[in-house]
Amino acid sequence: MSEIKFGTDGWRAIIAQDFTFQNVKIVTQGIANYIKSCNLGKKGVVIGYDNRFLSEKFALEAARVLLGNGIKTMLLRKAAPTPVTAFAIRQMEAGGAIMITASHNPPEYNGIKFIPEYAGPALPEVTEAIEEELRRIEQGGKIYEIDIEEAIALDLLKEIDVDREYISHLSRVVNPDVFKNKPLRLVVDPMFGAGIGYLDRILTELGCEVKTINNYRDTLFGGSMPEPTDSVLSDLKRAVQTYKADLGLAMDGDADRFGIIDAEGNFVTPNRFAYLLFEHLIQTRTFRGPVCRSVATTHMLDRIAKSNGLTVIETPVGFKYIGEALREKGCMLGIEESGGLSIFGHIPEKDGILACLLAVEMVAYAGQTLQEMTEDFAVRNGRVISKRFDIKTDVLHKQKVLQYIQEYQPKSIAGKKVEQLSELEGKKYVMEDGSWVLIRASGTEPLFRIYVETSTEEDLLQINNEVQRAIGLLTE
């Protein structure tokens, strides 16, 4: 068995190989120990789960261990999105939540997230404390558990449903009047995941015409991955064009990330959506605060912030850092290039359902297509192109590349003078014209990610090629 480690968003592993009932019990006992060390046992823990294979059974196994530790346990009645599970913490005034999910990973994976009492992703100090507990358990610590039938008979396990409260809350976070003024034709794709029955219901109640696809449980996710990216959303693109819809809206396996297709059937990158949404929020909300983005997210947000007298908070990759800024800095918007988003007034957890609602609100308010909005925006603010390049290598070559990255100190890249070097995460070079490139190594596999943002496609490819050659990833 490989060591259980919490990554950027929990522990994930292949079902039956490492993600077993026994390991779920070990992880849950570690979480239980952490909960008790924080004196949160009486407040209780919410358990949510997604639509993956055996998720409901793994959730019951986690409940057995929590109850065996004398921790009040509240189990969601049915599969639910991660943001709904996080919302339930606040609704039930709980001490945290366990979410059984592998989010957008392939079908053979499952996983466990721990969401602390602040209803956002666990920060490293929390997951490190839980991992320390896991090591103790693996070295002979006891797992306490109770028979689930006995727990139900003794009324120790409380089943809960917070859908009504969650939906009511979202209707206050968005502007429902905008939807009524211009009802849109929409296609919703929950990608066979836990988001089934949420977004379509809310949009229908707001007066929109809604078609849904892939809206039943399929633990194989239609033979694909429940990841709302350009290459995966072919079903949604076709449906948008077939139904002549104004927008296509997708959520990943646990509905915490979003994907958007415009009226022409084209994928809208989260970076592009980020700056359009930020401008929309400034126009339609009275609250003002910083914008928070990850180090890999578009700097167009910085331009908009500067022109409106607002500040920018840059974080390492991982929504946990954005969630912390949302909680502590009063940010208007927190967003990352991989499709995670939340705004002021909502939980500090990424929420794909909220993101999709905001997309509809924005298009209805503007009375334009997303393409028209983008063109208008470019006239006023300039144009940027952003892209991520994933380069796989092998373990030995990875070490050489890491050495090259350490030594890489260019004065210019693609003829553009380097003005700033950031090592907040990986290495990020910002050029004098506002272009930038970020080099990040995966912590778990021989993979490098290179993020580039500039004003033209030609510059983008030139920057990427020059950087890859310099660090030994491109040889021809």
Side-chain angles (χ1 to χ4, degrees):
M1 185 194 83
S2 60
E3 187 178 53
I4 296 171
K5 295 282 290 180
F6 279 72
T8 54
D9 211 0
W11 169 58
R12 294 172 189 171
I14 294 174
I15 299 167
Q17 180 174 297
D18 285 327
F19 200 89
T20 61
F21 287 108
Q22 180 60 26
N23 283 346
V24 167
K25 288 196 286 188
I26 290 171
V27 173
T28 306
Q29 183 63 55
I31 292 169
N33 291 353
Y34 173 79
I35 287 286
K36 290 189 289 187
S37 74
C38 298
N39 296 315
L40 293 170
K42 288 183 180 177
K43 293 188 77 174
V45 172
V46 172
I47 300 178
Y49 57 93
D50 67 9
N51 266 344
R52 286 176 179 267
F53 181 64
L54 290 178
S55 279
E56 67 275 31
K57 302 293 186 186
F58 290 125
L60 285 173
E61 205 70 13
R64 288 181 61 203
V65 174
L66 290 180
L67 290 165
N69 281 269
I71 295 171
K72 178 181 170 185
T73 304
M74 295 159 275
L75 177 69
L76 287 167
R77 289 184 191 278
K78 60 179 178 60
T82 290
V84 173
T85 302
F87 177 82
I89 296 172
R90 286 197 174 169
Q91 189 66 28
M92 306 307 296
E93 298 181 343
I98 289 173
M99 179 69 192
I100 307 291
T101 182
S103 192
H104 56 279
N105 279 45
E108 63 268 26
Y109 282 80
N110 214 325
I112 296 179
K113 293 181 185 181
F114 175 67
I115 308 171
E117 61 177 328
Y118 48 73
L123 287 163
E125 55 263 34
V126 175
T127 53
E128 286 164 13
I130 292 171
E131 284 176 358
E132 284 182 23
E133 296 294 343
L134 298 183
R135 304 291 85 82
R136 293 191 190 101
I137 296 161
E138 288 169 336
Q139 290 164 16
K142 185 168 174 56
I143 296 174
Y144 300 91
E145 52 190 308
I146 189 173
D147 181 80
I148 202 68
E149 299 299 330
E150 180 186 346
I152 292 170
L154 294 172
D155 203 26
L156 297 176
L157 180 65
K158 183 178 181 181
E159 285 193 324
I160 61 169
D161 185 341
V162 297
D163 284 1
R164 183 170 54 83
E165 292 83 358
Y166 170 77
I167 290 168
S168 175
H169 166 74
L170 281 188
S171 70
R172 294 191 297 274
V173 174
V174 299
N175 184 349
D177 294 333
V178 172
F179 294 80
K180 292 168 188 169
N181 294 338
K182 192 179 187 304
L184 299 177
R185 179 177 294 176
L186 309 164
V187 182
V188 171
D189 181 2
M191 304 189 83
F192 307 103
I196 293 168
Y198 287 87
L199 184 57
D200 49 345
R201 172 182 164 186
I202 297 167
L203 289 168
T204 301
E205 289 176 359
L206 288 168
C208 297
E209 182 184 332
V210 183
K211 299 279 187 183
T212 56
I213 62 172
N214 302 327
N215 61 333
Y216 57 91
R217 185 186 186 187
D218 177 0
T219 58
L220 296 178
F221 300 108
S224 184
M225 285 170 60
E227 184 174 24
T229 55
D230 192 5
S231 60
V232 180
L233 289 176
S234 52
D235 285 356
L236 185 56
K237 292 175 184 177
R238 282 193 297 270
V240 166
Q241 293 176 312
T242 299
Y243 294 119
K244 296 180 170 57
D246 297 294
L247 282 175
L249 307 163
M251 298 151 288
D252 72 344
D254 63 331
D256 66 351
R257 293 189 184 187
F258 67 92
I260 297 169
I261 304 298
D262 68 17
E264 289 77 38
N266 299 314
F267 180 74
V268 179
T269 66
N271 273 331
R272 179 176 152 204
F273 179 65
Y275 58 73
L276 294 176
L277 177 62
F278 187 31
E279 189 172 69
H280 171 74
L281 293 174
I282 289 170
Q283 291 169 351
T284 59
R285 304 306 197 263
T286 56
F287 176 79
R288 291 290 177 269
V291 61
C292 181
R293 59 162 178 77
S294 74
V295 67
T297 303
T298 177
H299 283 205
M300 183 58 84
L301 293 169
D302 304 43
R303 290 194 211 174
I304 301 168
K306 185 177 180 181
S307 64
N308 286 276
L310 300 173
T311 57
V312 177
I313 297 170
E314 183 175 75
T315 72
V317 171
F319 202 84
K320 54 196 169 194
Y321 302 110
I322 294 174
E324 182 181 30
L326 285 163
R327 294 196 320 272
E328 297 183 359
K329 307 293 185 183
C331 296
M332 285 185 70
L333 169 67
I335 193 160
E336 58 185 358
E337 61 81 36
S338 55
L341 169 160
S342 191
I343 67 171
F344 180 80
H346 192 45
I347 53 173
E349 173 67 91
K350 54 183 181 282
D351 189 339
I353 300 168
L354 169 68
C356 290
L357 287 172
L358 289 169
V360 179
E361 179 194 309
M362 185 173 73
V363 169
Y365 179 84
Q368 297 177 298
T369 67
L370 275 176
Q371 186 58 40
E372 291 168 340
M373 291 174 68
T374 303
E375 292 303 318
D376 282 358
F377 183 94
V379 169
R380 288 179 284 105
N381 301 284
R383 193 181 301 273
V384 294
I385 300 172
S386 313
K387 190 167 183 179
R388 187 181 91 185
F389 300 86
D390 290 357
I391 306 100
K392 290 186 177 180
T393 180
D394 56 55
V395 176
L396 286 175
H397 191 217
K398 180 179 180 179
Q399 294 309 310
K400 289 182 182 177
V401 173
L402 288 170
Q403 184 61 39
Y404 288 140
I405 292 170
Q406 190 64 33
E407 297 166 356
Y408 187 45
Q409 301 288 346
K411 294 281 191 288
S412 66
I413 299 175
K416 302 173 188 292
K417 183 183 175 185
V418 175
E419 281 199 337
Q420 182 187 342
L421 167 63
S422 167
E423 296 185 82
L424 178 67
E425 178 160 341
K427 276 195 168 182
K428 182 176 181 179
Y429 305 89
V430 183
M431 278 74 89
E432 60 183 348
D433 68 344
S435 302
W436 58 268
V437 57
L438 168 68
I439 309 165
R440 286 180 63 233
S442 168
T444 56
E445 54 186 318
L447 172 74
F448 290 89
R449 292 194 167 97
I450 297 178
Y451 306 76
V452 184
E453 180 167 272
T454 187
S455 56
T456 69
E457 190 77 36
E458 183 183 358
D459 281 354
L460 185 139
L461 293 174
Q462 195 174 345
I463 291 169
N464 173 58
N465 289 342
E466 184 172 317
V467 168
Q468 283 202 42
R469 282 194 188 94
I471 62 175
L473 286 172
L474 191 65
T475 53
E476 74 258 15

